[in-house]
Every structure is written in structure tokens, then in C-alpha cells.
Amino acid sequence: MKDVEELNQEFYDAIESGDLDRMSEIWVEDAGDRVAMCVHPGWPMLTGRSEVLRSWALIMANTPYIQFVLTDVRTSVLGDVAVLTCAENILTAADTDEPGFAAGRVVASSTYVRTPEGWRLWLYHGSPVLQSEDEEEEEE
């Protein structure tokens, strides 16, 4: 379980640092029925290692700053498959003309598979958490 959680942290570190080489090492190689899959918040399902890595390259190239604080991390290992769920509390550069930051929250599920090379990310699915107006007023 510790190996999976460490690899999961490396996944987020790769995003924060824009390290596509490290991201490539984390994702599973496509083989038979085991094909890398990814759902970014608001995106359609991406299938296949090359399509998934291309999406991360695009995100990294267009994100000048991003930081993740993970909460509610839960990991289950069943044989050669592990599922990790968490909440991503995200701080990123605001997409406006004025300098600043934007915050958001995503719930994520990541499925890892044990390979001869060690644990590799097989499926990532992130879903945005939408706040109601009442919750936004409470935070201010």
C-alpha cells in the first residue's frame, strides 16, 4: 500500500513540476486488454497511453502554476490491482488578465496495476466538486 501511495504522490509531483518524462514512467504500457485510460475533469474518456500522455503534455504546457494538497486519501490493494481515492485541493494561476490564483476541488480515483516494473497507473478519473452559493459565502 505504501508503494502505491508514494507513486501516487509522484504522479502529483510530476504534474506540479511539469515533468512529462516522469509522468511517462508512472503510466502503464498498453498491453492486450490493459490500456491506459484517463478522464480529466470535464473531459471525455481518453484511451491509450499515447492519447493519455498527450493530454498531460497539453495540460502541463498550458498551466504556469499548479499545486495539489491531497486529503481524504484511501487506498485498497486487491492482489495486483490497487485503487486510491482522494480529494485534490488545487491552487492554480488564475485564468484572467490580473495576476492571482484560483482554487478548486476535485475528487479523484486512480487505479494502479502491479507490473514486472512495479506499480503503474492504469486509470485516472477526476471529477470537479461544485460548490453551492451557500458554501461559497461560508468560506468568505
Side-chain angles (χ1 to χ4, degrees):
M1 188 168 352
K2 182 181 176 204
D3 292 345
V4 172
E5 291 175 357
E6 287 175 359
L7 185 60
N8 192 68
Q9 186 59 54
E10 287 183 42
F11 168 70
Y12 288 98
D13 292 346
I15 299 167
E16 289 179 349
S17 63
D19 188 343
L20 190 58
D21 289 336
R22 182 63 190 124
M23 181 65 74
S24 297
E25 294 172 8
I26 292 167
W27 280 89
V28 72
E29 295 286 341
D30 294 340
D33 290 339
R34 190 186 66 206
V35 177
M37 296 171 284
C38 182
V39 180
H40 298 290
W43 290 39
M45 171 73 78
L46 303 174
T47 304
R49 180 180 162 83
S50 62
E51 187 174 351
V52 168
L53 291 175
R54 199 168 28 253
S55 74
W56 286 110
L58 180 64
I59 290 169
M60 290 175 182
N62 290 289
T63 306
Y65 176 83
I66 192 165
Q67 180 182 5
F68 294 88
V69 175
L70 304 182
T71 55
D72 305 320
V73 177
R74 292 184 180 85
T75 307
S76 298
V77 178
L78 302 167
D80 291 334
V81 177
V83 175
L84 186 146
T85 59
C86 65
E88 303 171 352
N89 301 280
I90 305 167
L91 182 64
T92 188
D95 190 18
T96 64
D97 293 335
E98 298 292 321
F101 294 94
R105 187 171 166 96
V106 170
V107 289
S109 300
S110 298
T111 303
Y112 292 87
V113 61
R114 192 186 328 255
T115 71
E117 297 79 32
W119 289 101
R120 295 293 181 262
L121 184 54
W122 183 11
L123 166 68
Y124 168 85
H125 186 154
S127 182
V129 176
L130 304 178
Q131 293 183 313
S132 70
E133 289 181 25
D134 292 340
E135 290 173 323
E136 289 174 2
E137 288 174 9
E138 288 174 11
E139 291 181 358
E140 292 178 2

